[in-house]
Amino acid sequence: MPGLTSAGGVLGFLSEEEPELKIFALQTLNDDIDTLWTEVAGSVGQIEALYEDESFPERQLAALVLAKVYYHLQEYNESMTFALGAGDLFKLDHGDQFEETIISKCVDQYIAVSVTHHPMPPEAARNGALNFATSFANATDNTNAAAITSPTTPFSQSTLPSKSLLSRASTETVMESSVVNTLKPGRSGSLPVSTDRVTQMALQNVIERLFESCLREGRYRQVVGIAIEARNLEVIRRVIKRASEDEKKAGKQLEDTTGPAEELMEYVLDICMGIVQERSLRTEILKLILDLLNDIPTPDYFSIAKCVVYLNQDSEASTMLRKLVAKGDQSSVAIAYQIAFDLYDNGTQEFLGKVRETLPAAEKKEESHPPESEQLLGELNDRAGGHAEEPVSEKELEIFESIRTILDGSKTIKLNLEFLYRNNHSDLSILNKVRDSLEGRNSIFHTAVTFCNAFMNQGTTNDTFFRENLDWLGKAVNWSKFSATAALGVIHRGNLSNCRKLLEPYLPRPSSVGGSIFSQGGALYAYGLIYANHGTEALEYLRGQFNDAQEEVIQHGGALGLGIAGMATGSEEIYENLKLVLYTDSALNGEAVGLAMGLIMLGTGNVKALEDMIRYAHETQHEKIVRGVSLGMALIMFGRQEGADELIEGLLNDPDATLRYGGIMTVALAYCGTGSNKAVRKLLHVAVSDVNDDVRRIAVMSLGFILFRKPSSVPRMVELLSESYNPHVRYGAAMALGISCAGTGLDEAIDLLEPMMKDPTDFVRQGALISLAMIMVQQNEAMNPKVASIRKTLKKVVGDRHEDAMTKFGCALALGIIDAGGRNCTIGLQTQTGNLNMTGIVGMAVFTQYWYWFPFTHFLSLSFTPTSMIGLDHDLELPNFKFHCATRPSLFDYPPKQEVKADEAPTLIATAVLSTTAQARRRAQKKERAQRRDSMDIDQSPTTPKTAGPSADKMDVDEEPLQEKESKDEDKKEGVDGEREPPSASEVAKKRLEKEKVGYDIENMSRVLPAQLKFISFPAGRYKPVKKPTGGVILLTDSQPDEPKSLIEEKMKKAVIEKAAAVPTLEDMRQESFNQRRMADAHGEASGALSGSGAAAAAGVLTAVDEDEEGGEEAEAPRDFEYFSDGAEDDE
């Protein structure tokens, strides 16, 4: 039936008395409303009257016509209201634009209303609030809802448009008032908030129909997304149960495939950890997921482990491990071990310690029987209500002991140490070039070479460079000696069994007379670096040394060592010891002590500690102490998100620029990895408005910490800032790119940084070089063709005598970073399972403070993460097996070393001679060919060979065809005369790629890059992983447990660690060191054979008292920073 061309006649029926005519008119108009709406719009009043007439039988039809008219008029709120009134006539399954638009408006309205009905739980609000007894305790009390739209909105109450999940305000009162006050019914509001109960019920009905439609079609994720936006946890629970029921009805397809319920659970967990930004909402969702997972007969234990770590429920983790061990089968034990490894990677020392304490342990057998009184007391305690544990078999006790060593971190550290030791690909020639290019008598350059060596050999135990360069090492004085000794801690990080033996000559001893206090302080710092985030065995020793120390330098090193080893332990005793030293008001050790206090209380949000630190920051006159305390407060608020808002407001409103600096660091660490929009807005605002350059610099830099999970968004955000007139802002933009894009090789970031390498300001060039190294770490030419040119630029800058000292310092650091850990480490700010890498983030944050204090540079080593694949069987042994990578071998291969060696090899001289000789030979060859042609023309007898000398050289190649020889000569000519003719490295790599086969096998305990993981597979065979490989330690199930197995031999066990003997006099120590060096050269010892020999040889130099400490020649002081702006002129 053709449609109507005019609605005039039909509209006339609306004025008739008979309801049938009115109904006919409405039905006709509804069918052709898309073409007739312009005419129907004039009769909206009549149709509305019919809708409001309760006696009219087709009120819903009138509402549907009205909804379509208002939709075409683009009055979507009114359209949605009438569509809700249409009831079942409003069809959700029609794919028209009208239905899709109205459904979208209904969902937005549902979310807005539901959020007001599901506010943040009161206990979450109490936990997030900080009750300070300080001068800025009431800094945010006078805010009001009107401030939400102000450009100077208080940080803790800023919001985005209501549709965005990323904008939830931290207080429910502000959110509620903003929704009610700003979203009024009518045509001006973006979302109508109706108080009509009937309309709200209709809205609920539409949403329920929408949900049911999605669930029928198996689109569970859409419902979950709406429910999370609306904070309606009951809907999430219902959807997950419905998915589980549907799975049971359909029956399970395959054993290896995951069902819809498991996939949905993983999806909710990923959304919760990666997108939901409000801490309290995330906690509630994780609790719900944990409850649902525990109800499943065969739950996903790895998802439970994720929830348990975030919720800090150590008892739940212990219970889960007990259940798995109690099953007793090989697969359950392997899963228990894998969960223990995951818990160690993601948990704090305090959390892991509680889990270890609640695991069953074997009773210690004592030779002497306890007194009878103790036996009686024990029996009484058992009877009185001491909960008797279920009997545990000897085999289970052994398993729990193994789990305890994993949770302790000893197993992971040992495996990473073995991996770095056996796969070390560091290039000593690069270090030698840096050493030769930088004058060792300048303390800045000496320290730069030390850092380069430390980063390049991090965790490899390869300290050969120290042993072979004792003369250079002897030039270290004062704090350079401190940093050089601490570098041993970076190089031997994780070498727990030999830590004391290595550092024995350097560590302070009560009975020692003389010795350098700088090497003693550096040794305590190194001790902490070796035991980083694993201080259970080292804390007592470090604490005793710190308390006994009288020299400020030793206290400085002891405080740093204590903080690193005791990270996030929350130890009140250590905190009190540090506070006592802080109150001595010493500027030298106060900075380190303030930082250490924050490291001990990392992420705890301890209000008492914050009050002490705030109070003292206002009392002291030393800027170094204020800076250390400010950074400590930021560390205490690590990951607290909304809970840190009050502290942030107070610090940012402080007149002291150093405390404002601490406020920005608090924003960076409290919201690290969240991508929080309000945090980004605040940082950008401070970056362009604060009067202090240091604050502006750290504000831009902190963008990297907030957005490192979205690296591709950072270049676009800092593009304009990288061209700022202020060099501090440009430096901050460069470092933000390096922090957020570390290890990605992102082209957009490199394009921004390359021009900054030629910036007129030296420290901007420094930041650009460091950031480029961070981005290019573990990249080769197959992955990023710019690697070769960037490495070439780094070598050129470090050897340029006309380059500024600050730029060369940054270049030395960059050369160490780009080859970190023997080219086996990347910079990881998140763990293999996707959680925040607390140690790595803290290390990167403190590293950025090298701007003020060079020894902090060593903290960057905490963010170096081994990129390994280490398979263990159910006995925690290393089986000798292979896994498959479905790429060409060169795609993820190590970068070549030959380019660096070519610069120092004597082949350069030979090349020059050969090129000259080649030119003479070509001339002679041309003459000979010409003579041969002439001789062929006149048919002369072959007497020509005796005429020319060069012909004798060619007797070996005369058998070759002439054309072939000429082509070779031409190729040779092109390679000598024209530099552009030879194929480039990228072309050579491309040709090599074409010849390579796709797919190859990799040995166990080999390097596997994060980008390579998606190509890794385990072929059908004896060993199979218990979970999808994510890098790091992977537990394997053995399908042939009774068969003999081949194990990988651990090379680290064979390494011999030499103890350096303390020598009484300076001359004796140096003489012995030189003798050790000559012996090592004579025997040609390998770099890794005696891993402790470098430390032993260096002891004679570093422990010596500096001869020029008093009245000696000081290193040249750095020049004042030069600022270049558009309108400024250089001062003569």
Side-chain angles (χ1 to χ4, degrees):
M1 178 180 177
L4 296 176
T5 57
S6 175
V10 178
L11 289 174
F13 289 143
L14 296 176
S15 305
E16 297 293 333
E17 295 290 336
E18 291 80 3
E20 291 78 4
L21 294 176
K22 297 178 183 179
I23 294 172
F24 171 77
L26 291 174
Q27 289 174 343
T28 307
L29 292 174
N30 182 51
D31 294 337
D32 297 316
I33 194 67
D34 292 337
T35 56
L36 304 176
W37 67 269
T38 51
E39 298 179 63
V40 179
S43 303
V44 163
Q46 287 180 289
I47 303 175
E48 284 188 7
L50 293 176
Y51 170 67
E52 294 171 359
D53 184 3
E54 296 183 359
S55 62
F56 185 65
E58 291 292 340
R59 293 179 61 209
Q60 292 184 347
L61 181 60
L64 182 61
V65 174
L66 286 170
K68 293 183 178 180
V69 172
Y70 278 117
Y71 163 75
H72 287 289
L73 291 171
Q74 297 186 2
E75 297 290 347
Y76 300 122
N77 294 334
E78 286 79 359
S79 177
M80 183 193 72
T81 302
F82 287 113
L84 293 175
D88 294 337
L89 294 181
F90 177 55
K91 303 295 184 182
L92 302 180
D93 52 354
H94 287 184
D96 295 339
Q97 192 173 1
F98 163 71
E99 282 79 7
E100 291 181 358
T101 305
I102 300 305
I103 289 173
S104 175
K105 298 296 292 184
C106 289
V107 170
D108 291 345
Q109 176 65 23
Y110 170 76
I111 291 172
V113 173
S114 183
V115 164
T116 60
H117 293 162
H118 299 88
M120 183 172 64
E123 60 272 13
R126 285 196 300 271
N127 293 337
L130 295 174
N131 298 317
F132 285 122
T134 60
S135 57
F136 57 77
N138 299 321
T140 59
D141 288 351
N142 297 326
T143 56
N144 50 44
I148 293 175
T149 57
S150 169
T152 57
T153 305
F155 181 60
S156 62
Q157 297 178 359
S158 54
T159 59
L160 288 176
S162 58
K163 183 177 180 180
S164 175
L165 174 67
L166 312 180
S167 63
R168 300 295 182 242
S170 59
T171 55
E172 65 272 14
T173 54
V174 176
M175 184 68 193
E176 205 167 322
S177 61
S178 64
V179 171
V180 173
N181 293 336
T182 61
L183 304 178
K184 296 181 179 179
R187 299 183 181 181
S188 59
S190 60
L191 285 177
V193 177
S194 175
T195 56
D196 185 4
R197 185 172 181 83
V198 176
T199 305
Q200 290 189 3
M201 291 178 63
L203 174 64
Q204 186 68 30
N205 183 35
V206 168
I207 295 298
E208 289 297 331
R209 288 165 54 200
L210 178 64
F211 286 173
E212 185 60 33
S213 173
C214 292
L215 295 177
R216 273 199 311 271
E217 298 173 7
R219 295 183 294 165
Y220 306 107
R221 296 188 176 190
Q222 284 86 332
V223 182
V224 167
I226 296 173
I228 292 177
E229 285 271 4
R231 297 191 184 190
N232 196 331
L233 302 186
E234 286 304 317
V235 173
I236 301 175
R237 183 189 298 273
R238 193 178 74 197
V239 172
I240 294 175
K241 288 186 175 180
R242 172 71 175 269
S244 180
E245 293 172 0
D246 293 346
E247 182 180 352
K248 290 178 182 177
K249 291 178 182 177
K252 196 139 186 178
Q253 298 90 350
L254 294 172
E255 291 184 1
D256 295 338
T257 59
T258 57
E262 293 180 18
E263 291 181 356
L264 183 62
M265 203 84 77
E266 291 179 7
Y267 174 75
V268 175
L269 194 58
D270 292 341
I271 290 292
C272 185
M273 301 301 292
I275 295 181
V276 177
Q277 294 185 3
E278 191 178 355
R279 185 183 177 92
S280 58
L281 178 59
R282 187 186 302 129
T283 301
E284 293 299 316
I285 296 175
L286 287 177
K287 287 180 180 177
L288 171 65
I289 295 174
L290 194 57
D291 292 340
L292 292 171
L293 285 170
N294 288 327
D295 292 340
I296 300 175
T298 56
D300 182 1
Y301 291 105
F302 302 110
S303 298
I304 293 178
K306 271 188 179 182
C307 300
V308 162
V309 170
Y310 185 86
L311 297 174
N312 202 26
Q313 295 185 0
D314 50 275
S315 59
E316 192 74 31
S318 177
T319 303
M320 177 173 56
L321 292 172
R322 285 167 178 263
K323 286 181 180 178
L324 288 168
V325 174
K327 291 183 178 181
D329 60 297
Q330 181 197 140
S331 178
S332 298
V333 173
I335 291 174
Y337 286 151
Q338 185 68 64
I339 288 173
F341 279 111
D342 292 349
L343 290 176
Y344 172 73
D345 287 340
N346 299 304
T348 63
Q349 289 194 65
E350 184 180 14
F351 172 81
L352 296 171
K354 292 178 180 177
V355 176
R356 289 198 306 270
E357 289 173 2
T358 53
L359 292 177
E363 295 182 1
K364 295 182 180 179
K365 298 181 180 180
E366 299 181 0
E367 294 181 3
S368 60
H369 295 285
E372 187 177 352
S373 59
E374 291 187 10
Q375 291 182 357
L376 292 173
L377 285 173
E379 292 176 5
L380 288 172
N381 288 336
D382 292 339
R383 293 173 186 170
H387 49 284
E389 296 181 356
E390 297 180 1
V392 181
S393 66
E394 289 293 330
K395 183 180 179 182
E396 290 179 354
L397 285 175
E398 292 178 4
I399 296 173
F400 281 122
E401 191 59 34
S402 299
I403 292 175
R404 198 173 277 105
T405 60
I406 296 172
L407 293 174
D408 180 55
S410 304
K411 192 69 178 176
T412 303
I413 292 171
K414 180 182 176 183
L415 291 170
N416 285 336
L417 188 68
E418 173 71 20
F419 164 73
L420 293 173
Y421 179 79
R422 70 190 298 132
N423 294 288
N424 182 17
H425 281 71
S426 59
D427 195 348
L428 197 60
S429 61
I430 299 177
L431 272 175
N432 291 331
K433 178 177 177 59
V434 176
R435 178 206 60 204
D436 296 339
S437 302
L438 303 179
E439 176 54 52
R441 287 177 294 181
N442 189 322
S443 62
I444 295 178
F445 291 158
H446 194 287
T447 304
V449 179
T450 298
F451 292 143
C452 182
N453 175 38
F455 292 159
M456 195 175 291
N457 293 293
Q458 187 265 348
T460 63
T461 72
N462 179 17
D463 48 20
T464 309
F465 182 76
F466 280 160
R467 184 179 70 246
E468 296 180 352
N469 295 278
L470 293 176
D471 293 336
W472 167 84
L473 196 60
K475 298 175 184 178
V477 295
N478 299 340
W479 290 104
S480 295
K481 186 172 291 186
F482 179 93
S483 297
T485 311
L488 291 172
V490 178
I491 295 171
H492 290 274
R493 183 186 171 193
N495 195 358
L496 308 180
S497 58
N498 297 307
C499 175
R500 185 72 66 90
K501 188 176 180 180
L502 282 164
L503 299 178
E504 187 67 32
Y506 306 93
L507 293 168
R509 293 183 296 274
S511 59
S512 64
V513 179
S516 173
I517 58 174
F518 292 97
S519 65
Q520 293 175 15
L524 293 178
Y525 188 9
Y527 205 105
L529 286 166
I530 290 176
Y531 278 90
N533 199 25
H534 178 73
T536 50
E537 303 170 13
L539 284 179
E540 282 303 318
Y541 174 78
L542 288 171
R543 183 182 168 196
Q545 291 287 357
F546 176 75
N547 292 335
D548 295 341
Q550 301 298 322
E551 295 288 345
E552 292 181 342
V553 175
I554 300 177
Q555 288 179 338
H556 185 96
L560 292 176
L562 260 180
I564 297 172
M567 193 182 298
T569 56
S571 172
E572 292 288 346
E573 295 82 4
I574 299 176
Y575 172 79
E576 291 298 328
N577 293 337
L578 292 167
K579 188 169 70 171
L580 288 176
V581 176
L582 178 69
Y583 286 169
T584 60
D585 205 41
S586 167
L588 185 60
N589 57 29
E591 185 174 17
V593 169
L595 172 62
M597 292 165 69
L599 289 171
I600 294 295
M601 294 293 176
L602 179 65
T604 61
N606 191 306
V607 177
K608 179 180 178 297
L610 291 170
E611 288 179 353
D612 293 340
M613 298 169 83
I614 293 166
R615 191 179 304 111
Y616 193 74
H618 285 115
E619 292 175 0
T620 185
Q621 300 298 315
H622 296 292
E623 183 181 344
K624 286 175 70 69
I625 295 179
V626 177
R627 184 177 297 112
V629 168
S630 299
L631 186 56
M633 288 189 286
L635 291 169
I636 291 175
M637 282 299 174
F638 175 84
R640 305 295 292 183
Q641 298 185 22
E642 295 88 355
D645 285 354
E646 185 178 337
L647 176 65
I648 292 169
E649 255 333 284
L651 291 175
L652 291 182
N653 290 332
D654 199 283
D656 188 347
T658 309
L659 284 176
R660 295 201 303 277
Y661 185 101
I664 295 297
M665 286 300 298
T666 308
V667 175
L669 292 177
Y671 288 87
C672 59
T674 62
S676 170
N677 288 325
K678 65 177 183 179
V680 169
R681 276 205 312 273
K682 190 65 177 179
L683 292 174
L684 290 174
H685 174 69
V686 173
V688 297
S689 63
D690 200 279
V691 296
N692 184 272
D693 284 334
D694 288 350
V695 179
R696 298 180 67 179
R697 182 181 68 247
I698 194 63
V700 182
M701 196 186 306
S702 297
L703 291 170
F705 289 99
I706 305 295
L707 298 168
F708 67 78
R709 280 179 166 164
K710 305 173 184 175
S712 58
S713 64
V714 179
R716 186 174 64 253
M717 186 172 294
V718 301
E719 184 175 5
L720 293 177
L721 295 172
S722 66
E723 300 173 359
S724 170
Y725 72 92
N726 189 325
H728 290 268
V729 174
R730 298 201 298 272
Y731 172 88
M735 291 299 291
L737 289 169
I739 293 168
S740 60
C741 305
T744 62
L746 195 65
D747 290 332
E748 293 85 351
I750 296 170
D751 292 340
L752 285 179
L753 288 170
E754 282 181 330
M756 299 177 77
M757 288 193 293
K758 301 176 183 178
D759 195 276
T761 308
D762 51 2
F763 61 80
V764 177
R765 298 196 298 274
Q766 178 192 82
L769 292 171
I770 293 174
S771 295
L772 275 172
M774 289 181 180
I775 295 172
M776 286 300 192
V777 65
Q778 289 198 322
Q779 299 282 313
N780 59 21
E781 289 190 47
M783 299 168 70
N784 194 317
K786 293 186 178 180
V787 171
S789 62
I790 290 174
R791 285 182 177 270
K792 185 177 180 181
T793 303
L794 291 175
K795 289 185 291 180
K796 178 182 177 183
V797 170
V798 79
D800 188 354
R801 296 191 176 187
H802 304 289
E803 189 60 82
D804 291 319
M806 293 187 69
T807 307
K808 295 175 82 170
F809 177 87
C811 188
L813 261 62
L815 284 168
I817 293 169
I818 201 169
D819 289 335
R823 297 182 175 177
N824 290 301
C825 288
T826 188
I827 295 176
L829 300 187
Q830 52 184 338
T831 62
Q832 304 279 7
T833 54
N835 288 357
L836 295 179
N837 180 7
M838 180 187 69
T839 307
I841 293 171
V842 169
M844 181 65 75
V846 181
F847 162 72
T848 60
Q849 308 309 303
Y850 82 89
W851 180 279
Y852 304 103
W853 191 234
F854 283 161
F856 287 159
T857 309
H858 283 309
F859 271 82
L860 182 61
S861 64
L862 301 181
S863 65
F864 291 160
T865 305
T867 51
S868 60
M869 181 76 79
I870 304 173
L872 297 180
D873 62 11
H874 61 281
D875 295 324
L876 296 183
E877 294 178 328
L878 287 164
N880 191 359
F881 79 104
K882 296 180 180 180
F883 47 92
H884 188 73
C885 180
T887 63
R888 294 182 174 90
S890 60
L891 182 59
F892 298 106
D893 199 5
Y894 288 96
K897 297 183 181 181
Q898 56 189 6
E899 296 182 9
V900 178
K901 290 184 178 180
D903 292 343
E904 61 177 8
T907 52
L908 283 176
I909 300 172
T911 302
V913 174
L914 287 173
S915 63
T916 307
T917 306
Q919 291 178 358
R921 284 183 178 179
R922 279 196 300 276
R923 296 191 197 100
Q925 289 165 4
K926 286 182 180 179
K927 290 180 180 178
E928 185 183 4
R929 285 196 294 271
Q931 291 174 0
R932 285 185 177 182
R933 292 192 200 98
D934 295 342
S935 64
M936 291 174 66
D937 292 340
I938 62 176
D939 197 17
Q940 185 178 350
S941 59
T943 59
T944 54
K946 64 180 182 179
T947 59
S951 63
D953 295 336
K954 298 187 178 184
M955 290 300 293
D956 294 336
V957 295
D958 268 350
E959 296 177 2
E960 296 183 7
L962 185 63
Q963 293 180 354
E964 210 173 300
K965 186 164 64 177
E966 287 179 1
S967 65
K968 285 186 179 180
D969 292 337
E970 290 300 318
D971 291 341
K972 202 170 184 182
K973 179 178 179 181
E974 289 177 1
V976 175
D977 294 342
E979 294 183 358
R980 296 183 182 178
E981 292 301 328
S984 63
S986 59
E987 292 176 355
V988 173
K990 189 180 292 185
K991 290 180 180 178
R992 194 183 302 136
L993 277 175
E994 293 174 356
K995 296 178 182 178
E996 283 182 322
K997 287 177 61 178
V998 176
Y1000 63 102
D1001 291 336
I1002 304 177
E1003 296 283 347
N1004 189 15
M1005 195 170 265
S1006 297
R1007 188 182 81 152
V1008 175
L1009 304 185
Q1012 191 177 358
L1013 285 171
K1014 57 188 175 183
F1015 302 106
I1016 295 296
S1017 61
F1018 285 76
R1022 178 170 180 175
Y1023 296 102
K1024 180 181 176 183
V1026 297
K1027 70 168 188 175
K1028 183 180 179 182
T1030 56
V1033 180
I1034 299 293
L1035 265 294
L1036 309 167
T1037 55
D1038 188 355
S1039 60
Q1040 305 169 11
D1042 298 330
E1043 298 291 327
K1045 55 187 177 182
S1046 173
L1047 300 178
I1048 294 178
E1049 184 181 9
E1050 297 184 26
K1051 296 182 179 180
M1052 193 62 199
K1053 289 182 178 179
K1054 293 185 175 182
V1056 180
I1057 304 299
E1058 293 184 359
K1059 177 181 177 181
V1063 187
T1065 64
L1066 172 63
E1067 291 301 324
D1068 289 344
M1069 287 188 290
R1070 288 185 174 173
Q1071 187 63 37
E1072 182 174 346
S1073 301
F1074 296 149
N1075 289 338
Q1076 288 181 356
R1077 180 186 177 190
R1078 283 196 292 270
M1079 289 174 62
D1081 293 339
H1083 290 84
E1085 294 173 322
S1087 62
L1090 295 173
S1091 62
S1093 57
V1101 177
L1102 293 178
T1103 57
V1105 180
D1106 298 329
E1107 296 177 342
D1108 58 347
E1109 282 187 0
E1110 295 184 4
E1113 182 182 356
E1114 299 290 338
E1116 181 183 356
R1119 295 178 287 106
D1120 293 337
F1121 298 150
E1122 297 179 1
Y1123 296 88
F1124 295 89
S1125 58
D1126 296 338
E1129 295 182 357
D1130 295 334
D1131 296 334
E1132 295 295 336

